[in-house]
Amino acid sequence: MEISSRHHLRSDEVSRLNDNLEATLGVSFDADTYELVELADSAFDLILVDGEPLACYIDDEPFVTVRGANEADPETGTVTVDAGAISFVSGGADVMRPGIVAADDSISEGDLVVVVEETHGKALAVGRALVSGSEMTGDSGKVVTSIHYVGDDLYEFVP
């Protein structure tokens, strides 16, 4: 991944980031520096929080990266999958109903969500909900489109 530009975020951009994270996930970052890294060959713009790639812009919406979700431990906006789904979700697969053991009821269709594994609560992916949280469990169908996951280029990116 090639960096096209890198600069510090203005205070209003930091506030927007933390307000959005608080509203969607119940978390915020308390950091000294926030840098925007625009990537030439990616759909994402990365946000370095104290030098770590903990957030990004997805369709111009600030959200956590998988690393950021593991750092911040979201209280809301999460979809929990069973052990059988881990290898698929970690490989970039969309999330299917049979693998889901729980989903936050506050999730609405179209929301960005964090996909976590059941045993340790570690984040595996970030995706977009195709249905509301109350409709995510069941026998069949795709319910979360994967956007960013463990092991992808964004996850492996080192500034």
Side-chain angles (χ1 to χ4, degrees):
M1 300 181 90
E2 185 180 328
I3 296 174
S4 64
S5 74
R6 182 174 175 168
H7 63 274
H8 289 278
L9 291 179
R10 297 184 322 256
S11 61
D12 63 324
E13 293 171 315
V14 172
S15 294
R16 179 176 173 237
L17 168 69
N18 281 318
D19 289 349
N20 189 71
L21 296 180
E22 183 64 41
T24 57
L25 301 172
V27 300
S28 64
F29 295 115
D30 182 23
D32 294 325
T33 64
Y34 295 82
E35 290 181 84
L36 177 65
V37 177
E38 295 177 1
L39 302 170
D41 52 351
S42 174
F44 302 104
D45 287 334
L46 194 58
I47 300 169
L48 302 180
V49 180
D50 284 341
E52 296 296 321
L54 302 184
C56 62
Y57 285 101
I58 301 171
D59 300 326
D60 293 325
E61 186 178 346
F63 204 70
V64 293
T65 61
V66 172
R67 290 182 189 278
N70 282 323
E71 178 82 21
D73 195 23
E75 298 171 8
T76 58
T78 60
V79 176
T80 306
V81 296
D82 62 20
I86 292 173
S87 63
F88 296 104
V89 174
S90 295
D94 293 332
V95 181
M96 308 298 281
R97 274 193 181 100
I100 296 176
V101 295
D104 182 5
D105 285 337
S106 71
I107 296 170
S108 298
E109 180 180 342
D111 285 355
L112 289 171
V113 297
V114 176
V115 180
V116 300
E117 54 87 21
E118 177 180 34
T119 307
H120 303 288
K122 293 295 183 189
L124 303 172
V126 169
R128 189 154 313 267
L130 299 174
V131 298
S132 68
S134 61
E135 300 175 71
M136 287 202 178
T137 57
D139 294 330
S140 66
K142 179 172 35 172
V143 293
V144 176
T145 301
S146 183
I147 296 173
H148 159 53
Y149 53 92
V150 171
D152 70 5
D153 289 342
L154 187 60
Y155 185 83
E156 298 294 334
F157 180 76
V158 177

